[in-house]
Amino acid sequence: MSQPRFCFLLLLFSIFLGDQASGELPPFTDYCTRLRQEIQGKKHGFLAGNLSYYVGGFHASWDLKEHETIGLTHPFKHDLRSRGVGIIQSTGVGKDDTGLGNDFSGWEFYKDTKVLYGSVLIGDQLFRHPVPAKMYWQPDRMICEYEISGVQIREEKFIAKNDAVCTIIESSKPVTLLFEGQSFFGRHSVSSSATARYDDDSDVIHVLEGGMTQCQPETDRSKKIAPIMYDGMSTVLTATREFASTCEFSENDQGQQFYQFQVPCDPDGVALIWAMGDKYREVVNAIQSLRDRTTSKTGLNRTDTREAIQHQNTPVQAALAQKSEHVNLELNAQIPRFGCSDKRHEDIYYFLWSLYLMYYIDVGRGMEMEPHTQTAVNNFLGMHRYDAAFQIKVGSWITDQSTYSYGNVLTWKNLFKAGYYKKSPQGVIALADNKGVSWHSGVYGNELSEHVLGAWQIYQHTDDLKFLRDCYEGYFREIFYRRIAPFASNHFEVAETLANMAQLTGHPEDIAHWNQLIDRSPDAIEAWFEQRWQVNGHRNYFAGSPDGMLMTNGFWHIRSRFFPNEYAIKMVDSWADDRVKGFHGKFFPLAMSRRSMQRFASDVDHAFGYTPDTAYFTLSGMFRQRLGDVSQRLALNHLEHYNFNAQWGIPVAPEAYTRDGVLFGDQYSNFNAGKILLYLEGFAGIDYSLPDNELRVHENMPKEWQWMEFQIPMVHKENDAKSWVNIRYERDQQGDTTQKKIVVSDCPLNVVIEPWTEAKEVRWSKTSHESTVESESSYPDYGRYEFRDSNRVKSVELQLWSDQSSE
């Protein structure tokens, strides 16, 4: 990155944080460049805008089927108007009414988009759809490098802030690029009514999409014929050098449209631009704002010189710089900063955050009024109720919570207000697992109670009563008033949280109701857990299935604050690390115990041998129970095997691994978002509450690390003042002696530090201030130090001792 550009980004960073920011300003880092991965032959390309996306090439799961090539292979529009390829009104009744746009087929419709497939003409030799020698991914762009008959060609592909997809191509010698593409016609399509033409006035190719397709809008999966999801939308293409004289169009028997054209390319470069939308003129304007033109409507006179490109003077180059600035500002100013002595984990952490942020979508209509993250866009589309259980909590750590966090909770309120829910005779209200602008999936579940706990964590990090009121009134209060369906024994905490919400939002009359709905007396809580302990013949396991299928779900219950700690210790000791009957396979955790795998071995069971959700729910409970060594050791084991590919030397985010440890499913899956919490709430053990004016640090730093450091953004609602709280952990082991130090700087809250003593003797401890209150932790192997002063720096230092020869 050039020095002027770097300085400009530093200025933007400072402006973004505001004049009232306190604490040492974290150093600016170019995370876009740092996260660059060489992925040719390993992964397909992936880019994200707001409603536009790009997939370069095609992998069936992780099986390479189509290489990326010059041009734009699979740009596509995804604004949640449909769940698949068709858009039709459901004829279902009641809970089976899935609205307008649900489709159980065609989720991966991007595979059938073929927009600009390039070939290279060098002299009289044509090289069709060349394969990159190298392909690099980073969150703001893709870079493809080609070696073709002595000519070097370089592409930079990106999605501009206005959702246009662009590629900038340069070649070391003059060549001719030939491009071909087609209107949308999917594998489920039955006919096309598309048209294609060259618009001379705008110097663009205009494809008016249209056609009919098979789809499955109902829960019975019956097939119907409906308009394609792109019906009536305009696809618009252009180039920054003259191409009009070479445009050719054709049509096949189904009515599908085909187009092709040529453009020259040399060291001065050429850019191609794609955009799509409902209003043709708006799409044209978006493209023209990026296309560099001077006097000729056909683009014969251009100013895209090498010097201009190098200095980012062309609109398309400026758009690329703007995109990089936006992504870098998000990764610098919106999320907690992290560093540690193992670079692999820094890369994993920022890679998972980059995906979480890339998936944000802001549609602004129908049941999609709030911005929110998503799990995927080229498999299951949109956000999922189950995945939101941890995605909501991840969002609670972001700086600008009203933009990035609130919608992860409140978008589901729209589904309830629209009347799209199922109600059982017992009064349990369940929402569909997936939704869009005017549709929902019609598949219901009971994880919604986890959203209450996520919303409460957002409130703790914001002190925003309006947000809490929006959650409680007209939503949580009505959903759970008759019954709270437990999710992994969370109902005690959910009822407690709803009572707290009632008090804070001006509904004290509801408190008695929530207290009565769920009996939280010590006897009731003890009975709940005792009745489910070691049931169905499963020794030292919780809520074991009567059919013998033991999944990790039993571990999920230990996330409850009320779960007996002695049960958690016994279950983890007996099952977690066991490689014969338990859940440790090639790494931890297997989704199903080894004992159960001998009986249950369907294709699905085999394919989803390891999954990111089961890992998060299992490991987060171990940290919640302060299990010390086993929690940090198994979390480290999981992250280094699941989210870092040692052969490639890059972080990965697969949807799953097979039982054999083979990569499976989506390649850029935000199903991994919960792993971010393993760093923040697990290893670092950070927990804070603005309403309670307290920061708590329950340290669990891996023994293999010498240090780790977090910088946590806090925004104080009353004056919008921003704080960057620095928390640094250090560990030095020399023989039998271990020195540990935890330092909290620039925290405006009271601080409680609970260092992990690693089951060793504490030889001595010292704190930064004599006024510090030392007390006994409620968990073994942890100390507890309370700081109630206003000093800038608060620290605890311990010297631990153990006889290494006896370990």
Side-chain angles (χ1 to χ4, degrees):
M1 178 179 290
S2 67
Q3 186 65 26
R5 174 62 58 188
F6 181 75
C7 293
F8 178 63
L9 282 171
L10 282 175
L11 176 62
L12 283 177
F13 182 36
S14 303
I15 293 172
F16 180 86
L17 289 175
D19 295 333
Q20 300 185 65
S22 64
E24 185 176 347
L25 193 69
F28 179 86
T29 300
D30 181 2
Y31 286 110
C32 289
T33 301
R34 172 170 178 168
L35 288 171
R36 180 180 296 174
Q37 303 179 0
E38 204 290 301
I39 62 170
Q40 174 55 30
K42 307 177 184 76
K43 298 194 280 188
H44 61 71
F46 173 64
L47 298 170
N50 179 30
L51 307 177
S52 294
Y53 301 87
Y54 182 75
V55 173
F58 170 57
H59 286 63
S61 186
W62 288 74
D63 186 13
L64 175 60
K65 297 294 185 181
E66 175 193 69
H67 284 285
E68 175 66 313
T69 192
I70 288 178
L72 299 172
T73 52
H74 304 295
F76 61 100
K77 198 78 170 182
H78 154 54
D79 62 2
L80 291 170
R81 68 181 62 195
S82 171
R83 195 189 189 201
V85 290
I87 184 163
I88 189 174
Q89 181 68 49
S90 169
T91 57
V93 178
K95 64 181 180 60
D96 294 320
D97 176 9
T98 59
L100 174 66
N102 185 53
D103 186 1
F104 285 102
S105 65
W107 296 333
E108 296 179 316
F109 65 83
Y110 79 92
K111 294 184 295 188
D112 296 321
T113 62
K114 295 183 177 181
V115 175
L116 287 174
Y117 278 62
S119 300
V120 181
L121 183 63
I122 302 176
D124 58 0
Q125 189 172 3
L126 182 67
F127 298 87
R128 285 186 57 79
H129 308 159
V131 175
K134 292 184 178 180
M135 180 165 69
Y136 299 93
W137 174 93
Q138 52 189 65
D140 62 330
R141 72 186 74 186
M142 286 169 51
I143 301 169
C144 295
E145 297 176 350
Y146 306 84
E147 296 278 346
I148 307 170
S149 190
V151 178
Q152 290 76 48
I153 297 178
R154 188 177 191 273
E155 273 191 292
E156 288 189 285
K157 310 185 188 198
F158 70 99
I159 301 180
K161 289 282 288 177
N162 68 359
D163 258 3
V165 183
C166 311
T167 178
I168 302 169
I169 310 171
E170 300 172 6
S171 61
S172 61
K173 299 177 183 178
V175 299
T176 299
L177 303 179
L178 289 75
F179 293 98
E180 56 194 271
Q182 60 193 47
S183 62
F184 182 82
F185 194 88
R187 61 205 62 199
H188 302 289
S189 292
V190 295
S191 65
S192 174
S193 58
T195 61
R197 67 187 179 101
Y198 170 73
D199 181 347
D200 187 64
D201 291 331
S202 301
D203 188 23
V204 299
I205 290 175
H206 175 208
V207 178
L208 183 62
E209 304 282 0
M212 304 297 287
T213 184
Q214 287 185 344
C215 61
Q216 300 175 26
E218 315 292 15
T219 53
D220 64 5
R221 308 299 204 271
S222 59
K223 293 182 179 180
K224 297 184 178 180
I225 304 299
I228 62 171
M229 72 294 176
Y230 281 167
D231 196 61
M233 296 183 72
S234 289
T235 296
V236 181
L237 300 155
T238 195
T240 57
R241 297 177 77 159
E242 199 279 327
F243 70 99
S245 61
T246 65
C247 285
E248 296 182 10
F249 299 89
S250 61
E251 179 180 324
N252 66 11
D253 293 340
Q254 287 83 25
Q256 185 181 16
Q257 302 296 306
F258 299 85
Y259 50 84
Q260 61 183 30
F261 62 88
Q262 302 176 17
V263 290
C265 187
D266 50 38
D268 288 344
V270 62
L272 304 174
I273 308 168
W274 169 98
M276 192 174 194
D278 292 301
K279 298 179 180 179
Y280 174 59
R281 184 46 53 188
E282 290 182 1
V283 181
V284 170
N285 291 341
I287 274 190
Q288 289 180 333
S289 69
L290 299 174
R291 186 178 59 197
D292 189 21
R293 61 168 59 251
T294 53
T295 59
S296 170
K297 70 179 181 181
T298 57
L300 292 174
N301 298 316
R302 306 287 174 154
T303 61
D304 51 349
T305 64
R306 184 72 172 175
E307 181 181 0
I309 288 175
Q310 288 177 340
H311 291 85
Q312 301 168 349
N313 290 330
T314 65
V316 71
Q317 282 285 347
L320 175 55
Q322 183 187 41
K323 180 61 178 276
S324 300
E325 289 163 3
H326 170 75
V327 175
N328 266 324
L329 282 171
E330 284 189 322
L331 293 172
N332 275 275
Q334 287 294 354
I335 67 172
R337 308 286 286 278
F338 167 62
C340 71
S341 55
D342 190 333
K343 183 180 180 298
R344 294 174 300 172
H345 287 274
E346 294 181 353
D347 291 345
I348 292 169
Y349 177 83
Y350 283 104
F351 178 62
L352 295 182
W353 264 120
S354 72
L355 295 182
Y356 183 87
L357 294 168
M358 285 175 73
Y359 277 116
Y360 264 82
I361 186 171
D362 187 3
V363 178
R365 59 191 179 94
M367 294 190 295
E368 289 289 322
M369 293 304 298
E370 299 84 8
H372 58 78
T373 192
Q374 304 170 92
T375 296
V377 295
N378 59 333
N379 188 345
F380 289 95
L381 304 182
M383 197 178 196
H384 288 254
R385 180 202 63 242
Y386 170 80
D387 307 3
F390 44 85
Q391 290 167 347
I392 288 170
K393 288 188 174 182
V394 173
S396 75
W397 292 93
I398 293 179
T399 305
D400 183 1
Q401 301 228 17
S402 61
T403 298
Y404 289 92
S405 304
Y406 295 178
N408 292 333
V409 180
L410 294 175
T411 189
W412 299 98
K413 183 177 182 178
N414 300 322
L415 192 61
F416 176 67
K417 288 167 61 178
Y420 289 133
Y421 58 85
K422 181 178 73 172
K423 190 172 184 179
S424 74
Q426 295 77 29
V428 175
I429 293 177
L431 298 184
D433 75 331
N434 190 206
K435 70 172 184 67
V437 171
S438 55
W439 58 268
H440 69 95
S441 68
V443 179
Y444 300 91
N446 293 321
E447 308 90 8
L448 194 65
S449 55
E450 278 290 300
H451 294 204
V452 176
L453 302 180
W456 183 249
Q457 183 160 308
I458 291 175
Y459 168 69
Q460 295 300 310
H461 290 188
T462 61
D463 197 17
D464 190 340
L465 280 174
K466 181 182 183 305
F467 164 73
L468 202 65
R469 189 172 292 110
D470 288 342
C471 292
Y472 185 75
E473 295 176 352
Y475 186 33
F476 288 159
R477 184 183 186 276
E478 283 70 15
I479 288 269
F480 300 107
Y481 199 80
R482 285 193 59 189
R483 187 171 178 185
I484 299 171
F487 176 74
S489 299
N490 71 351
H491 53 304
F492 299 115
E493 285 181 274
V494 171
E496 179 182 69
T497 300
L498 289 169
N500 289 334
M501 288 183 177
Q503 178 69 48
L504 290 167
T505 58
H507 298 277
E509 68 279 4
D510 290 348
I511 297 174
H513 169 77
W514 298 120
N515 291 338
Q516 184 178 13
L517 187 66
I518 300 293
D519 184 356
R520 302 198 308 280
S521 66
D523 288 345
I525 293 172
E526 181 181 1
W528 171 270
F529 291 109
E530 185 176 338
Q531 290 165 7
R532 289 158 180 80
W533 178 243
Q534 301 189 130
V535 295
N536 299 312
H538 302 297
R539 182 172 174 77
N540 289 334
Y541 202 74
F542 188 81
S545 170
D547 65 3
M549 181 186 284
L550 290 190
M551 309 292 285
T552 57
N553 306 54
F555 285 99
W556 301 4
H557 296 264
I558 71 177
R559 297 165 59 248
S560 169
R561 178 162 53 86
F562 299 97
F563 193 91
N565 186 251
E566 63 270 25
Y567 288 2
I569 293 171
K570 289 179 180 179
M571 186 158 60
V572 169
D573 287 347
S574 297
W575 291 92
D577 231 356
D578 190 293
R579 296 173 185 264
V580 177
K581 73 176 188 301
F583 290 88
H584 206 306
K586 291 184 178 295
F587 53 91
F588 181 84
L590 281 159
M592 185 185 297
S593 72
R594 283 183 171 272
R595 175 185 292 175
S596 299
M597 283 167 54
Q598 299 172 17
R599 291 181 52 196
F600 302 94
S602 69
D603 289 343
V604 173
D605 292 334
H606 180 79
F608 292 91
Y610 303 83
T611 60
D613 59 315
T614 58
Y616 162 71
F617 284 125
T618 300
L619 290 163
S620 62
M622 295 182 190
F623 283 115
R624 180 82 181 262
Q625 292 290 333
R626 309 286 193 271
L627 298 187
D629 182 73
V630 69
S631 57
Q632 59 86 26
R633 179 167 49 81
L634 292 179
L636 210 62
N637 171 272
H638 174 83
L639 291 163
E640 291 175 2
H641 286 84
Y642 195 106
N643 292 111
F644 194 85
N645 188 295
Q647 179 184 354
W648 300 337
I650 60 174
V652 292
E655 182 181 358
Y657 285 80
T658 69
R659 286 181 176 178
D660 296 330
V662 177
L663 292 157
F664 181 79
D666 187 16
Q667 296 186 344
Y668 298 84
S669 178
N670 200 26
F671 209 19
N672 286 271
K675 315 289 185 64
I676 295 170
L677 301 175
L678 297 182
Y679 288 97
L680 290 163
E681 301 173 10
F683 296 143
I686 303 170
D687 174 25
Y688 74 92
S689 170
L690 294 183
D692 294 342
N693 194 42
E694 186 172 86
L695 167 77
R696 297 168 288 275
V697 179
H698 315 288
E699 176 257 332
N700 294 281
M701 185 171 77
K703 292 179 180 179
E704 291 86 347
W705 296 359
Q706 290 74 53
W707 64 273
M708 68 179 180
E709 189 167 10
F710 289 84
Q711 290 157 322
I712 308 297
M714 294 183 186
V715 180
H716 302 270
K717 184 175 179 294
E718 63 275 6
N719 58 6
D720 201 35
K722 300 177 179 67
S723 300
W724 284 92
V725 179
N726 194 88
I727 308 172
R728 183 173 175 85
Y729 311 71
E730 297 176 357
R731 184 182 189 275
D732 178 42
Q733 183 163 339
Q734 301 293 333
D736 295 339
T737 303
T738 303
Q739 203 96 350
K740 301 187 79 169
K741 188 175 184 180
I742 302 172
V743 182
V744 178
S745 306
D746 300 310
C747 182
L749 313 178
N750 294 325
V751 173
V752 176
I753 299 177
E754 294 192 345
W756 174 38
T757 61
E758 302 180 9
K760 298 176 180 179
E761 176 189 339
V762 179
R763 283 287 179 89
W764 55 260
S765 66
K766 63 180 180 181
T767 64
S768 53
H769 309 293
E770 293 182 357
S771 60
T772 303
V773 177
E774 181 179 358
S775 58
E776 186 175 346
S777 172
S778 55
Y779 296 93
D781 301 329
Y782 287 85
R784 181 177 174 84
Y785 303 85
E786 298 182 29
F787 298 81
R788 304 295 177 185
D789 55 75
S790 59
N791 290 288
R792 175 178 171 270
V793 178
K794 302 171 176 68
S795 66
V796 174
E797 191 170 359
L798 305 176
Q799 187 182 84
L800 311 175
W801 182 89
S802 66
D803 186 353
Q804 298 295 309
S805 63
S806 64
E807 292 187 357

